[in-house]
Amino acid sequence: MNTPPSPSGAEHTDGSSIRLGALVPLTRPGWVEAGRHLLAGLDLAVREVNDAGGIDDRPLELVVRDTAADPERAAAAVDELAHLGVAAVVGEYHSVVARAAAARADALGVPFLCSSAVLDTLTEAPTEWVARLAPAQSYGWRIYADFLLRTGRRRIAVATQPSVYWASGTRVLRDHLAPRGGTVLELDATLTPGALCDALVDHGATALLLLVGHPEPAVPIVRAVRGDRRLAEILIGAPAGQPEFAEWAAALGEDGAGIPFLRYLPERLGPLGERVGKELRERLGEAPSFVAFEGWDTVAVLAAVLRAHGTDRAAIAESWPRVAVEGTRGPIQFSRTPGISVWQWAWTPIQVVDRDPAEPDRFRILHAG
């Protein structure tokens, strides 16, 4: 695995820098656009820390490793980064990949601040070494289920692929909807788009949730459902956030609008969020996703920890419950949450949003939790 040059310009070979290992999906089959946004946020924050004098006059250095959505590759990267002497590991977008990284970080005694993955069980047993900024899947997806109920959608179908993440999401939806009169039908995403549409009609589904990868098979499924007159009234949803990124709109155009998804932003950003958002937009050449803000917040938290507690790995891990940092999306603190094995920011602001059918580049807030 080669290290991309650090855009922050903080490449120091004399041992003076404080190294942070960054796990980011930068190549397929990883979600490359999410990785690009995550890295932009991480790198912007590193640059700002260094422009302000670094940590006790020592610059931060981001040592980037591409996970390509591969759990084994991520675990190997944690090994390598630990050997390189990083103070901590940050990042990752894919939940299954983050779980592998978290397990390895826990085994090696390396602090890992997970930026964006949401799977509840990042580690099999409680750990002191791992903290997370993104909300747990069980929390966010219950909010999404409440949105479905509020809009009168109770016969829910999910098109799903084999994955711990998708299976966990299906379970959260079923457990939350069943006591409230909702049902969840699982449909194998390997069905042809036509057969899947037939199954939706036969079931009388009022919503289809895309628990699948992007662009395949999500894009052909959306096109098929949008083109089927029998399903004109069905709601297509994507709780995992596929429509957040510009490549979704580019692939689907108008067909990609009106598909609600989860986004981890407040209704209005404060002054810090507005400033960082402007900087991120300039870097990315497009509106920053919530993933870019997660990246910036990750470095902001670790910079505060490093200033207060130094670079000793055990001291960093011991500091998670004492974190109090103003992030782009609100004050960040970590706590122990029932059912969650890592230190958790409880809770990130959560919205259910979609792309406005009248203006697909504009997002509409439909529900907030």
Side-chain angles (χ1 to χ4, degrees):
M1 292 177 288
N2 295 322
T3 306
S6 171
S8 66
E11 292 291 342
H12 294 262
T13 58
D14 60 0
S16 66
S17 63
I18 298 172
R19 289 178 154 192
L20 297 180
L23 305 177
V24 188
L26 296 174
T27 55
R28 299 289 184 190
W31 199 336
V32 174
E33 194 171 9
R36 186 171 69 90
H37 279 235
L38 178 56
L39 184 56
L42 292 168
D43 184 70
L44 173 63
V46 166
R47 181 180 290 276
E48 291 183 355
V49 169
N50 290 340
D51 287 348
I55 308 295
D56 294 330
D57 295 324
R58 296 174 65 190
L60 286 182
E61 176 186 348
L62 210 56
V63 184
V64 181
R65 291 294 180 267
D66 174 20
T67 64
D70 183 337
E72 292 184 5
R73 186 165 171 170
V78 174
D79 280 342
E80 182 196 2
L81 292 165
H83 179 72
L84 289 173
V86 300
V89 174
V90 300
E92 195 44 50
Y93 176 79
H94 298 283
S95 282
V96 176
V97 180
R99 188 172 66 158
R104 197 67 194 131
D106 180 46
L108 294 173
V110 177
F112 175 35
L113 179 51
C114 182
S115 302
S116 197
V118 300
L119 193 66
D120 282 38
T121 52
L122 274 185
T123 55
E124 292 301 323
T127 176
E128 301 298 319
W129 292 99
V130 182
R132 172 170 55 192
L133 288 175
Q137 186 180 27
S138 60
Y139 181 74
W141 287 43
R142 284 198 298 266
I143 290 172
Y144 195 92
D146 285 336
F147 161 74
L148 293 173
L149 293 170
R150 189 172 65 83
T151 57
R153 315 283 177 166
R154 282 178 165 75
R155 297 180 65 83
I156 313 302
V158 297
T160 187
Q161 295 174 298
S163 161
V164 171
Y165 175 63
W166 299 128
S168 173
T170 301
R171 185 168 56 252
V172 170
L173 292 168
R174 181 174 283 121
D175 289 350
H176 194 71
L177 291 170
R180 296 162 177 82
T183 61
V184 176
L185 170 72
E186 293 185 55
L187 298 175
D188 191 329
T190 61
L191 288 171
T192 67
L196 190 143
C197 288
D198 289 342
L200 293 173
V201 173
D202 292 343
H203 180 63
T206 55
L208 168 66
L209 305 187
L210 303 170
L211 308 194
V212 296
H214 170 75
E216 298 289 336
V219 168
I221 290 174
V222 171
R223 285 180 178 147
V225 174
R226 292 291 200 219
D228 193 320
R229 292 182 180 179
R230 300 173 299 170
L231 300 171
E233 300 302 317
I234 199 169
L235 172 77
I236 305 175
Q242 296 93 324
E244 168 79 13
F245 297 98
E247 65 180 357
W248 174 272
L252 283 163
E254 292 181 359
D255 283 346
I259 297 180
F261 63 94
L262 286 167
R263 182 170 70 166
Y264 309 132
L265 290 173
E267 185 173 353
R268 285 185 177 83
L269 292 167
L272 175 62
E274 289 283 357
R275 179 188 68 75
V276 171
K278 181 180 178 182
E279 295 280 348
L280 288 168
R281 179 183 286 272
E282 290 178 2
R283 282 181 164 240
L284 290 164
E286 62 188 17
S289 69
F290 67 85
V291 180
F293 289 99
E294 287 174 328
W296 194 95
D297 286 343
T298 300
V299 172
V301 167
L302 269 175
V305 168
L306 290 166
R307 289 188 186 103
H309 304 286
T311 59
D312 179 75
R313 290 172 178 172
I316 292 170
E318 289 168 2
S319 74
W320 298 136
R322 297 192 292 277
V323 164
V325 172
E326 187 62 32
T328 57
R329 298 162 297 149
I332 298 172
Q333 294 181 294
F334 298 112
S335 60
R336 287 298 191 187
T337 302
I340 309 299
S341 59
V342 302
W343 288 100
Q344 175 71 53
W345 179 17
W347 292 102
T348 314
I350 295 179
Q351 305 167 346
V352 179
V353 305
D354 70 358
R355 290 180 175 272
D356 188 343
E359 190 180 341
D361 287 337
R362 188 178 79 86
F363 294 110
R364 304 184 298 182
I365 300 173
L366 308 175
H367 184 70

